[in-house]
Amino acid sequence: EAQVTQNPRYLITVTGKKLTVTCSQNMNHEYMSWYRQDPGLGLRQIYYSMNVEVTDKGDVPEGYKVSRKEKRNFPLILESPSPNQTSLYFCASRDRGTNEKLFFGSGTQLSVL
Amino acid sequence: DAKTTQPTSMDCAEGRAANLPCNHSTISGNEYVYWYRQIHSQGPQYIIHGLKNNETNEMASLIITEDRKSSTLILPHATLRDTAVYYCIVSSDSGGANNLFFGTGTRLTVIP
């Protein structure tokens, strides 16, 4: 089954403790991205990747890192989480052709205390 | 990319057609209209997209006005499972850094 898999589904951590949210897709998609969703603000893009070893900032990249060492994986790294990064996070992927639809993961609810 | 305006919320009776409007008066010639929906806190799900012609698939129909400044997503027979937030997005989708701006969408509630 074609899917985008994120882990964990829920995560509670404390300020300053490094964490990684994993994202993996099994559709051989070149494009992957991370979004965060906050009440009243919709989905905002954090980082995206056009292909392996190619990443770029989205609208709200501060406090986040990503890497794309393999095509299928696109982890989101919070080196020193802060409470304002408490949010619902989504990973998405799509094929490279024009007008290809985005496939989203099921989300990671992160709480930073 | 052009931005969109959608009503904050709508209700629809179960079994009736749900018509969700979207205004995109600043849309440019190469921008497509996309619709996604998000059920509760799940990941958004693609519904349909179009450029200027009306489109239909197994989930919905998309009606785009001739001047392309607005569009309507139609769910022909709404069910309770269609209760969700619906996002109307316009994007040039250059094939490059396509960042779809999701906004806050329309919360559709299907009433039994």
Side-chain angles (χ1 to χ4, degrees), chain B residues 33-53:
Chain B
V33 180
Y34 296 81
W35 283 84
Y36 283 74
R37 73 179 182 184
Q38 186 176 22
I39 297 172
H40 195 46
S41 295
Q42 299 176 23
Q45 174 191 25
Y46 167 86
I47 302 173
I48 199 167
H49 76 277
L51 182 63
K52 52 185 175 182
N53 297 322

Side-chain angles (χ1 to χ4, degrees), chain A residues 21-34:
Chain A
V21 184
T22 64
C23 175
S24 178
Q25 50 92 5
N26 63 0
M27 295 167 279
N28 202 36
H29 286 167
E30 294 189 356
Y31 177 93
M32 298 185 74
S33 64
W34 276 101

Side-chain angles (χ1 to χ4, degrees), chain A residues 13-113:
Chain A
T13 189
V14 295
T15 299
K17 186 175 182 181
K18 180 180 179 179
L19 66 91
T20 299
V21 184
T22 64
C23 175
S24 178
Q25 50 92 5
N26 63 0
M27 295 167 279
N28 202 36
H29 286 167
E30 294 189 356
Y31 177 93
M32 298 185 74
S33 64
W34 276 101
Y35 290 84
R36 62 177 287 175
Q37 185 172 31
D38 304 288
L41 296 177
L43 279 87
R44 294 177 294 169
Q45 191 181 56
I46 303 170
Y47 268 94
Y48 65 93
S49 170
M50 297 300 297
N51 212 328
V52 175
E53 302 292 0
V54 181
T55 63
D56 212 340
K57 297 176 180 179
D59 298 319
V60 288
E62 294 78 23
Y64 304 95
K65 286 176 60 178
V66 292
S67 69
R68 189 89 183 274
K69 293 185 171 61
E70 307 164 281
K71 199 171 190 178
R72 63 181 292 126
N73 296 322
F74 191 45
L76 179 69
I77 303 156
L78 284 72
E79 299 241 335
S80 184
S82 62
N84 64 13
Q85 293 179 298
T86 292
S87 187
L88 179 58
Y89 292 86
F90 292 103
C91 179
S93 75
R94 70 176 181 91
D95 211 346
R96 186 174 179 171
T98 55
N99 305 315
E100 295 291 334
K101 58 187 178 184
L102 274 170
F103 291 82
F104 283 84
S106 54
T108 296
Q109 179 63 59
L110 172 65
S111 295
V112 183
L113 306 178

Side-chain angles (χ1 to χ4, degrees), chain B:
Chain B
D1 290 341
K3 296 299 185 282
T4 62
T5 303
Q6 299 177 251
T8 303
S9 64
M10 293 180 63
D11 293 338
C12 177
E14 186 179 17
R16 304 294 293 269
N19 297 290
L20 291 89
C22 180
N23 286 320
H24 31 80
S25 58
T26 60
I27 192 170
S28 60
N30 64 344
E31 287 184 314
Y32 284 71
V33 180
Y34 296 81
W35 283 84
Y36 283 74
R37 73 179 182 184
Q38 186 176 22
I39 297 172
H40 195 46
S41 295
Q42 299 176 23
Q45 174 191 25
Y46 167 86
I47 302 173
I48 199 167
H49 76 277
L51 182 63
K52 52 185 175 182
N53 297 322
N54 297 336
E55 302 287 345
T56 296
N57 63 20
E58 66 278 4
M59 292 182 68
S61 294
L62 173 61
I63 309 298
I64 303 174
T65 58
E66 194 168 336
D67 64 7
R68 303 209 322 123
K69 293 184 177 183
S70 65
S71 60
T72 301
L73 179 74
I74 301 172
L75 308 178
H77 305 286
T79 70
L80 299 179
R81 282 185 283 187
D82 291 323
T83 292
V85 177
Y86 287 77
Y87 298 97
C88 170
I89 303 157
V90 294
S91 174
S92 61
D93 191 14
S94 60
N98 178 24
N99 179 12
L100 301 183
F101 180 75
F102 276 77
T104 52
T106 296
R107 181 173 298 278
L108 174 69
T109 302
V110 180
I111 302 168

